[in-house]
Amino acid sequence: ASAAALAYKLFQEKDKFLLKAKEAKVEMSPEQIAFDNRVRQYNSPDQKFNYFSSIQLVNKFGMKTTMMSPMDFFSAITPDCSIHPGAGSGIYEEIKEENLPKVRLVKSPVAKDSVLNAIGEQGLISYSDYCFLLSLLATPIRFTDTAFNVFDVTGDETIEAKEFAYVR
């Protein structure tokens, strides 16, 4: 009976044992907003990624990989964004891979069902993910539709693995 009571108490207090990312209520000066805007406008994609990324993922061998949270990505692409400022190059929060499932990331303010929040549910954004998302944002919808229609050989508005055999 005491084990059941202990288990119930631990279940009730489970939120105390989860790591939570800090929600920073940062007052940004106009100079900081202008600097972040210059970074967005004039720096290369890898420099922007390093400037706005806030997390370094540490694997079991001690190797570190720089990653972005969805809010870092939102901040990296949104001019005059004062919700989540760029930390700066080389300023990261280190998180061990085994602790990653326990980390709660700040949600995007755009919408509850936004793509950024869906990505955040699955994990962090790597540099290659960042470049892919930038490419998607820069591609006009008509080109995306054209590419989809190239792969949709049967015309049923779905793409199956067997349809890739017909594309050369």
Side-chain angles (χ1 to χ4, degrees):
S2 63
L6 179 63
Y8 179 73
K9 183 176 180 181
L10 285 175
F11 176 76
Q12 293 293 344
E13 297 177 358
K14 68 181 180 233
D15 289 338
K16 291 182 181 178
F17 300 105
L18 293 175
L19 295 175
K20 296 180 182 177
K22 297 174 190 165
E23 291 187 29
K25 302 287 182 190
V26 179
E27 291 292 324
M28 288 185 61
S29 67
E31 293 82 15
Q32 179 64 41
I33 292 174
F35 183 79
D36 284 359
N37 284 337
R38 285 193 301 275
V39 168
R40 287 181 195 96
Q41 187 172 6
Y42 297 116
N43 285 12
S44 62
D46 61 323
Q47 291 172 326
K48 285 182 232 178
F49 180 81
N50 286 328
Y51 181 80
F52 287 100
S53 295
S54 63
I55 297 171
Q56 266 194 336
L57 201 57
V58 182
N59 71 7
K60 62 182 178 181
F61 303 111
M63 295 195 53
K64 299 175 182 177
T65 306
T66 303
M67 305 291 273
M68 264 187 174
S69 70
M71 278 306 298
D72 293 337
F73 181 77
F74 178 82
S75 182
I77 64 170
T78 308
D80 296 325
C81 180
S82 61
I83 296 172
H84 191 79
S89 296
I91 301 173
Y92 308 110
E93 177 184 355
E94 289 187 5
I95 299 175
K96 294 185 178 180
E97 277 184 345
E98 59 267 13
N99 294 337
L100 187 58
K102 300 175 188 171
V103 175
R104 290 187 182 170
L105 300 172
V106 179
K107 298 286 188 184
S108 166
V110 178
K112 292 182 181 185
D113 59 346
S114 75
V115 172
L116 287 181
N117 289 336
I119 292 169
E121 298 278 327
Q122 302 301 316
L124 299 170
I125 299 170
S126 67
Y127 179 68
S128 56
D129 297 334
Y130 172 76
C131 291
F132 176 72
L133 289 170
L134 286 180
S135 297
L136 282 179
L137 289 172
T139 305
I141 292 175
R142 68 175 188 263
F143 295 145
T144 307
D145 290 341
T146 302
F148 179 84
N149 290 332
V150 166
F151 291 106
D152 185 20
V153 177
T154 59
D156 61 354
E157 296 185 5
T158 61
I159 298 176
E160 299 169 5
K162 64 183 177 184
E163 291 178 312
F164 282 107
Y166 296 103
V167 179
R168 291 190 183 178

